Each structure stands twice: as C-alpha cells, then as structure tokens.
Amino acid sequence: MGRFTTSEAYSDTGLTTPSNDTWPRIFSKSTIGIDRNCIVKNLNTNNNDQFEIQPGCLQAIKKLRLKGYKVFLFFVEPRISSKEITIEEVEQHNNQLMSIFGNAGIQSIEGVLYSTSCHKQDIYSFPNTGMLKKAEKEYKQNWKGGYFISSDIKALKAGFKVGATPVLVSHENGEGIEQINTFANRKLKASSLVFNSLEEFANSLP
C-alpha cells in the first residue's frame, strides 16, 4: 500500500527566490509528472544531507514553473517495505529535496507522491497507475495533454496508460534507450519523446 505526501518547495533561510511579481500565481498549462530518479542522480542514505542532483534539473524545473506548467514528482521507494529505511527517513529526504528546490528559486510544485514497494501487486508501484490516478482524482491533475518523464521504462508505461505523453530522459549514459527500442516496447516508443536531459525537454516547451 502506498503512502503519500504533498509538499511545497520554499526557502525560509533568506536565500533569493523569485519575487512575487515574477513567480506565477496560477499554473494554467498542462501537468508534467517527473520521476524523482530524473532529478536525483544519487541519494547517499548514509548521510541524509547528501543529494547528487542531475545537471540542469533544478534550472529545468524552475523554467517549467515560470512557464506556467504544473509539476508533480513521483518515486518508488521499495526499501520501506524491505525495512531498510523508515517512512520518517523518506519524509526527511523529501523535505531535504524541497529545501534544495527552494534554494534554487523553485517556490512551489504541485506535490510529491511515492510508493513504499516495487511489488507487482502494489497498485501504486510502476508500471501500475495508482499514483498517477491518485494525483488525478485527489489533486485535480489532468494527464490528457500532459507529460510523464522518466528514464525508467516501467514508469513511462504508467504515464502512457493514463494518457500522458511519455518522455524518456536518457541522461549522458543513455538510460532507457536500449529498452525502449525493443520490439516489446514498440507501442510505447511510438508515443514517446526522447531527450538527453530534463533541461533539454524544458527548453522545447513554449
């Protein structure tokens, strides 16, 4: 069973963020779901203060928000169900990431949802659509005309199932390229966009 949280990214440390005049009050454009793995390159679980962020990701998310897009983060954290990490630690990681967002000038996002396992029977784990449908029903996100971004094929399949355009972000190591080019994923590939980075995707949108 998935456990979820919604968060606002903000800075209470006095660091510079966009002024109220430049940060949108209404985000009228489509919803963009982003797999957290596209943002966090490495999470050092031995030190909760250490996040390695993918190059350009913070700038990309800020740009998407300033353009008026809704941004929702998703991730699967199977270490909760295997007792390797606690809910409290995951929440701490979420708060840490939101602080990083705030310090980068990202004043808000729509929310964060996560699954506590990667079991096939878990409706909230990818490629199942439970998390995306929860965002749709409870947080009023509309996937029609929206995008779902990941370097993981299972996550992209979930986005495809709810009607979002799948966006494969391959990063510098070509993540997901080999998988999406298989015969089994031909329908997914036909509906997907492919970019080298989240920043490249953000720059492509009006």
Side-chain angles (χ1 to χ4, degrees):
M1 185 69 177
R3 176 182 167 88
F4 308 93
T5 180
T6 58
S7 304
E8 280 204 342
Y10 62 90
S11 172
D12 58 2
T13 60
L15 297 176
T16 302
T17 59
S19 70
N20 290 335
D21 293 333
T22 59
W23 193 257
R25 293 172 182 263
I26 298 174
F27 298 89
S28 58
K29 294 186 179 179
S30 55
T31 298
I32 298 174
I34 305 176
D35 184 348
R36 190 186 68 174
N37 289 342
C38 280
I39 301 168
V40 179
K41 189 174 183 180
N42 182 50
L43 171 59
N44 186 340
T45 55
N46 294 319
N47 186 338
N48 291 336
D49 294 330
Q50 291 187 12
F51 279 83
E52 186 178 354
I53 304 295
Q54 292 280 6
C57 281
L58 297 176
Q59 297 91 325
I61 293 171
K62 181 179 176 181
K63 185 172 294 185
L64 291 171
R65 293 299 273 167
L66 289 173
K67 287 182 176 183
Y69 290 93
K70 303 173 185 70
V71 172
F72 218 112
L73 299 189
F74 299 85
F75 65 97
V76 175
E77 184 45 89
R79 294 174 301 168
I80 296 175
S81 61
S82 62
K83 309 297 184 183
E84 297 174 60
I85 193 170
T86 65
I87 291 286
E88 290 72 22
E89 287 174 310
V90 173
E91 294 290 351
Q92 185 178 355
H93 295 161
N94 283 341
N95 291 334
Q96 202 103 42
L97 185 59
M98 293 304 100
S99 293
I100 291 171
F101 277 22
N103 293 341
I106 304 166
Q107 286 193 5
S108 67
I109 60 173
E110 304 303 318
V112 181
L113 300 182
Y114 62 94
S115 168
T116 61
S117 84
C118 60
H119 300 146
K120 288 183 179 180
Q121 64 270 27
D122 185 347
I123 64 170
Y124 299 112
S125 180
F126 299 138
N128 299 325
T129 58
M131 281 197 285
L132 280 71
K133 287 182 176 178
K134 187 179 181 75
E136 195 170 43
K137 291 178 181 178
E138 297 188 17
Y139 301 99
K140 311 305 179 186
Q141 303 305 304
N142 184 5
W143 295 113
K144 306 300 181 185
Y147 302 87
F148 191 82
I149 304 171
S150 183
S151 55
D152 180 74
I153 298 301
K154 287 183 179 180
L156 292 179
K157 286 180 178 179
F160 178 63
K161 289 175 184 176
V162 297
T165 297
V167 179
L168 173 63
V169 171
S170 61
H171 303 299
E172 57 190 20
N173 59 357
E175 280 183 84
I177 294 294
E178 184 176 345
Q179 281 182 288
I180 204 169
N181 282 324
T182 62
F183 182 76
N185 290 318
R186 64 193 183 282
K187 290 183 179 179
L188 178 65
K189 180 183 178 181
S191 300
S192 297
L193 303 174
V194 179
F195 292 91
N196 293 322
S197 67
L198 188 58
E199 190 169 27
E200 186 180 292
F201 168 74
N203 289 337
S204 75
L205 296 183

